[in-house]
Amino acid sequence: MADDAEIIATLRAENTALREELARARDERRALAQAEERFRMLFEHSSDAHLIFDDDGILDCNSAAIEMLRCRDKSEVLTLHPAELSPELQPDGRRSLEKCVEMDRLAHERGFHRFEWIHRRMTGEDFPVQVTLTPVQLASGPALVVVWHELTILREHERRLAFQADAIADQQRTILRLSTPILEVADGVLLAPIVGAVDQARATSLISAALDAIQARGARRLIVDLTGVDDFDASTAAHLVRLCAAAALLGARAILSGINPALAQRIIALPTDLRAVETAATTCEAIGRDR
């Protein structure tokens, strides 16, 4: 009887252990099912395209991938060969089939790899994406989880910004040109009225416009009217010296006009010496000089 009691106690203990192990297995299966459900929800409802590749091709994809590739349904995606998903050449000139092998290798070496790529829809339209490759191990063997983040809207926004930047630059060049007009006020006499401050960009525009006008019109005299100058500093003086010297090289005589007493006091306090530059009190005096 004692032996039977021991056997029964042992069996009961084993039964309890089996029940506990079964309960743990059920909890693990439940947790695994919940994790799988959460992954499936993320996989299916992500706005980015998710695909799973192995050596044989595409194993699975989400709805975003179907839409991005312009396919009818998942079954059509699963029948596609990876070579159909890219143009022959990438923007750097490399063949897609060759470069994708390198991208896969980098993903396996690093644990994941992110890069930009041009893919192709079933409509024949090419589109830019940011690709993330992550190696995984499935029951069937090694595979890659592939995520495509489409960049079409971003690239279009960048193109619009670049276009706007070019338009602004054109406007600025036009403003510079209009702010430094070169007027022919008499036969062979040009007038360049300056209003406001003269910075590097405006000085460069003024010198270029003045020299072009001297050469195009065969001018013998260039009058630079300083009446409207807001500020006269060493930089402005240096720009004017350059302009006068450049005009002389083209055979034109440069005269600075509109120098009032206050401006004259500022000029003589500067390190740049303008005494060698011809001046006139007014533009009318400069125009009438030695006619």
Side-chain angles (χ1 to χ4, degrees):
M1 294 293 293
D3 291 341
D4 291 343
E6 291 177 0
I7 293 173
I8 292 173
T10 300
L11 291 174
R12 284 176 176 171
E14 291 176 354
N15 186 48
T16 300
L18 288 172
R19 287 177 180 274
E20 291 174 352
E21 185 177 348
L22 180 59
R24 285 195 297 271
R26 287 172 179 169
D27 290 342
E28 290 174 358
R29 283 200 300 272
R30 189 179 299 111
L32 182 61
Q34 291 173 348
E36 183 178 352
E37 181 182 9
R38 287 193 293 269
F39 172 78
R40 179 56 60 178
M41 291 293 291
L42 290 171
F43 184 83
E44 287 295 342
H45 297 286
S46 172
S47 60
D48 289 335
H50 286 63
L51 304 98
I52 301 177
F53 285 80
D54 68 2
D55 292 339
D56 295 325
I58 304 173
L59 299 177
D60 200 357
C61 71
N62 65 354
S63 299
I66 299 171
E67 170 61 25
M68 201 173 289
L69 289 170
R70 304 295 189 263
C71 289
R72 294 186 302 275
D73 50 35
K74 181 182 291 190
S75 62
E76 183 180 3
V77 177
L78 300 185
T79 61
L80 296 175
H81 188 277
E84 299 177 78
L85 306 181
S86 303
E88 181 181 0
L89 301 177
Q90 288 298 306
D92 61 1
R94 296 182 61 185
R95 293 176 58 83
S96 296
L97 287 176
E98 295 173 357
K99 190 172 181 178
C100 72
V101 173
E102 179 185 348
M103 300 299 101
D104 291 353
R105 176 181 58 78
L106 290 173
H108 286 288
E109 290 177 355
R110 300 172 180 177
F112 86 100
H113 184 42
R114 182 173 291 125
F115 54 94
E116 292 189 9
W117 193 263
I118 300 297
H119 274 297
R120 174 166 291 173
R121 310 188 204 275
M122 290 302 98
T123 57
E125 175 192 2
D126 292 341
F127 63 103
V129 295
Q130 182 188 68
V131 180
T132 303
L133 302 180
T134 305
V136 295
Q137 185 66 35
L138 304 179
S140 58
L144 281 172
V145 174
V146 183
V147 181
W148 294 344
H149 178 69
E150 187 167 352
L151 301 175
T152 301
I153 295 176
L154 176 62
R155 291 291 179 264
E156 180 59 31
H157 182 62
E158 290 174 346
R159 281 192 290 271
R160 286 199 300 270
L161 288 178
F163 177 79
Q164 290 171 358
D166 289 342
I168 291 172
D170 287 341
Q171 290 173 353
Q172 290 175 334
R173 285 190 289 268
T174 300
I175 291 171
L176 275 176
R177 186 173 65 254
L178 294 177
S179 66
T180 53
I182 308 298
L183 311 174
E184 188 167 13
V185 294
D187 184 28
V189 180
L190 300 178
L191 173 65
I194 300 178
V195 179
V198 181
D199 57 14
Q200 179 64 45
R202 190 175 181 195
T204 301
S205 176
L206 171 62
I207 293 172
S208 176
L211 297 182
D212 287 345
I214 290 171
Q215 186 173 39
R217 302 174 189 178
R220 301 182 305 276
R221 198 182 324 161
L222 172 67
I223 302 169
V224 182
D225 182 11
L226 305 179
T227 305
V229 173
D230 288 340
D231 187 23
F232 199 100
D233 56 14
S235 176
T236 303
H239 294 321
L240 291 177
V241 169
R242 287 173 52 213
L243 173 58
C244 294
L249 291 175
L250 293 180
R253 172 180 158 204
I255 304 174
L256 302 183
S257 69
I259 301 179
N260 55 42
L263 181 58
Q265 290 182 8
R266 289 206 301 272
I267 290 175
I268 62 174
L270 297 174
T272 303
D273 189 358
L274 290 179
R275 286 176 296 182
V277 177
E278 186 176 353
T279 62
T282 67
T283 299
C284 288
E285 178 189 338
I287 294 174
R289 184 175 293 178
D290 299 332
R291 292 187 64 177

